[in-house]
Structures are given as structure tokens and as C-alpha cells.
Amino acid sequence: MKENRTSLEIIAPTVEEAIQRGLQDLGVPSSSVQIDILDEGSRGLFGIGARQARIRLTIKEALPPVPPPAPLSEQVVEEKLAVENISTHTQPDNQLLFKAEEVVRRLLEEMHIKASVSASTKNSAEQGIPTIYIDIRGKDLTVLIGPQAETLNALQYITSLIIGKQSNQAVPIMIDVEGYRSRRENQLRHLARRMAEQAIKSGRRQILEPMPANERRIIHLELKEYPGVTTESIGVEPRRKVTIIPK
Amino acid sequence: MKTLIEYIAKSLVDNPEAVVIHEERHGNAVNLVLKVAKDDMGRVIGKNGRVANAMRILLRVAASRAGQRVTLDVEEPR
């Protein structure tokens, strides 16, 4: 099931149709996928023995669209931040950003991980304190994500507790490593639509792999307005999973 | 590894001066025992041990980098 997230098999009357449908499904341009024709299909004779075309689209492992910023030496970064911090002293937001960066940097240092850390506020439609978005970039950071983002979530949880304690208020914090979360969100949306399609076609409920709550939420939201299916989570944490049920 | 837990624990409690960590080594295995003031126990353990477990996960990364295995216990003060 895992490789399905980056590749997709489509069956359609013709190869062209299959490719078009696949690209639409994945929501990516044809330049970013590899197309394998598994079966060109044939019209058969008077419709007898006609086979549909079968193709596979694989999303090419693209480099992150935004190249990581040139690695500044730790000192330069510190200095830059110190200056920013003084000049924007009156804005509590920047104080928080600075604190958040400091906390994450310290945690990574204690974990013996070299990476660059930058914090920004993410505009959210909701009122109240905006989410602090902390971006971690560097080499070989898969250990920082962990199985099912376990490590990343632990880091995020501990960071938000420390910031919350220091600033005496609950501050929503989101930590991302090399764009992992946004990539994962896209994958999950595509997965959701594909499985919904399958549920409708087969008339049978589709059960997804176990996922943490934030990922299940993405699936539920994506299919909330999707015609023909409803979604529901079943099972007990940490093996709770989404099922997609045809109406 | 010890300093990682020390930093986290001291940042979360009301009485940072009461934070004590003992380190026991048996070859590759390290056991950390964290002691905090009684009133701070909840802060380092969390609901259903959520905080303690998050610390264990981060600890595991630090340990694996050093080729070690590490466990973390939180102990009630006497």
C-alpha cells in the first residue's frame, strides 16, 4: 500500500485517456511523473477480447522546490536574530519566534543533530495567536521524522510545552522537517480521493492504514464533501484507521 | 543524553533546582532516572505519560547517534 502513495495504476479504454485521468488524479504536471505503459490494450474484434489499457504513473522523487538556504554559520544566524530581536522588541510575536527557534536549536544540539532552524508565523484564518511554524533543514534528517512522524511529533510536543511554560500561554506550534508535513498532506489527499473512487467503484468499504489523528483529520476533511462516500475512524490508538464507506 | 533530559525537565517544572538525574551505565545500555519535586511530577510525566514518552523518543535519537540504548524512568521523590 505504501508505494501506492507515489505511484498510481490506471485502467482506461485508451492509453491517452489513462494518462490524462492519472495526471488529473495526482494533480501534477506530466513532467513530474514517469509513465509506464503496462498494457496498451486492444479493441478486440467486434468488442470480443477487448482489453483496456493499463498504465502506471510514478511521481519522480523531486528535490524540494525551494533549495535550502545557504548554511549560515551558527554565529551569523545568532547575530542576525539578536539584531532582529532588538529592532522588533515591541512586537511580542517576534519575541516568541526567537524563543521558539532557540528552544528547537537547543533540543537539536542536545540530540546531536546538525540543522538550520527558522521560525515564522503562519497566517491562519482563525483568530487568536497565530501558529508558529518552525522549519528545520539539513542533511539526513529522516531520523528526526521517525516512524509515522513519531519523532517529529515528540519534538513538536516538547517544544510547544517549553514555549507554553516560558510565555505562560498556549502557543500553537508546527514543526516541519524538509517540507515533510506538506508533502505528506498532499500524498494523503490524493490517497483519500483514490480510495474514495475505489470504494464507489467496488461498492465496498476501504480501510486505510493506521494513522495518527492529524493525518486522519486530513482524510476526513478531504472527503467531507466528496459525493458518494462517508468516512469514519475505527480501532483504538495507535492503530486507529480511517474507513471510507460508499453510501 | 543526560543534558537533553536535564534541559527539557528544567524547562517544564516550577522548581528547576529540584531536578536531579542519575545515570546508570551497563555497557551499551544507559538508564536515566529523573527526579523532580513532588508538585512537578505531573509536568514531566503528563497525561498517560505523554510527556515522558516524548522525552523517551527524543532520547532514542540522541542515543542511537552514540550507538547506545537508553531508558528513562521518572522517580517519585522521597
Side-chain angles (χ1 to χ4, degrees):
Chain A
M1 184 75 10
K2 248 182 193 133
E3 51 276 21
N4 271 350
R5 288 183 183 136
T6 48
S7 74
L8 172 59
E9 259 182 56
I10 304 119
I11 298 172
T14 66
V15 172
E16 291 72 37
E17 238 174 283
I19 292 171
Q20 212 170 25
R21 258 220 324 251
L23 292 177
Q24 228 166 42
D25 241 35
L26 291 171
V28 295
S30 59
S31 57
S32 64
V33 295
Q34 185 195 323
I35 301 167
D36 295 313
I37 296 167
L38 304 172
D39 188 341
E40 288 190 317
S42 76
R43 290 194 179 275
L45 199 57
F46 308 121
I48 299 164
R51 282 197 325 271
Q52 297 213 323
R54 217 152 51 84
I55 63 150
R56 185 196 293 131
L57 299 182
T58 311
I59 296 180
K60 290 177 194 161
E61 204 44 70
L63 291 166
V66 185
L72 296 165
S73 82
E74 199 70 0
Q75 254 174 351
V76 175
V77 175
E78 297 284 356
E79 259 170 44
K80 200 179 116 214
L81 285 166
V83 170
E84 273 173 15
N85 198 35
I86 292 162
S87 63
T88 54
H89 197 69
T90 45
Q91 294 191 344
D93 264 357
N94 286 329
Q95 287 273 28
L96 268 183
L97 287 184
F98 179 62
K99 252 186 213 165
E101 273 184 357
E102 216 176 46
V103 169
V104 174
R105 216 171 267 144
R106 175 76 190 268
L107 286 171
L108 293 181
E109 189 190 306
E110 296 287 359
M111 289 162 74
H112 308 291
I113 286 176
K114 283 203 176 82
S116 68
V117 178
S118 64
S120 56
T121 44
K122 214 175 190 185
N123 291 333
S124 59
E126 298 133 63
Q127 288 186 335
I129 312 163
T131 301
I132 293 184
Y133 180 79
I134 301 168
D135 196 24
I136 303 176
R137 301 229 165 228
K139 267 190 195 167
D140 301 326
L141 293 184
T142 44
V143 285
L144 208 50
I145 298 171
Q148 296 194 355
E150 176 189 73
T151 310
L152 183 53
N153 289 333
L155 182 68
Q156 181 174 297
Y157 183 53
I158 293 288
T159 303
S160 66
L161 286 182
I162 294 176
I163 301 294
K165 173 85 180 165
Q166 284 183 1
S167 59
N168 285 319
Q169 56 182 340
V171 183
I173 286 179
M174 157 107 90
I175 301 187
D176 203 351
V177 173
E178 288 285 334
Y180 168 83
R181 285 202 197 276
S182 46
R183 234 172 24 237
R184 179 83 181 136
E185 186 176 334
N186 272 334
Q187 278 176 6
L188 287 171
R189 285 169 189 270
H190 290 309
L191 175 77
R193 292 182 162 269
R194 215 155 67 228
M195 295 307 263
E197 232 11 82
Q198 240 177 69
I200 292 167
K201 268 185 203 150
S202 66
R204 297 223 300 254
R205 65 158 60 194
Q206 303 292 315
I207 302 172
L208 307 189
E209 317 223 310
M211 286 171 201
N214 62 325
E215 296 193 349
R216 293 198 306 270
R217 181 167 177 271
I218 293 171
I219 306 269
H220 288 306
L221 285 179
E222 182 69 16
L223 297 179
K224 211 173 87 185
E225 319 249 294
Y226 202 90
V229 294
T230 54
T231 59
E232 197 180 291
S233 289
I234 55 165
V236 184
E237 297 279 11
R239 297 201 46 85
R240 213 164 148 73
K241 38 199 166 183
V242 179
T243 64
I244 303 174
I245 307 150
K247 276 183 204 162
Chain B
M1 286 179 289
K2 186 180 167 183
T3 51
L4 171 66
I5 297 307
E6 196 170 7
Y7 170 64
I8 296 174
K10 285 193 170 173
S11 305
L12 295 181
V13 298
D14 286 330
N15 308 289
E17 65 287 345
V19 171
V20 182
I21 298 165
H22 284 293
E23 194 177 51
E24 297 160 12
R25 288 178 176 270
H26 310 278
N28 256 354
V30 181
N31 185 34
L32 296 179
V33 181
L34 168 65
K35 287 184 194 173
V36 299
K38 200 165 187 171
D39 293 342
D40 284 327
M41 287 292 282
R43 295 184 188 278
V44 292
I45 295 175
K47 263 186 215 155
N48 296 321
R50 203 173 155 204
V51 180
N53 280 331
M55 285 198 282
R56 289 188 182 108
I57 290 168
L58 298 187
L59 202 50
R60 206 181 302 149
V61 174
S64 72
R65 301 230 131 194
Q68 291 174 323
R69 298 194 316 155
V70 67
T71 52
L72 171 70
D73 292 327
V74 183
E75 219 168 67
E76 189 98 36
R78 257 170 262 171

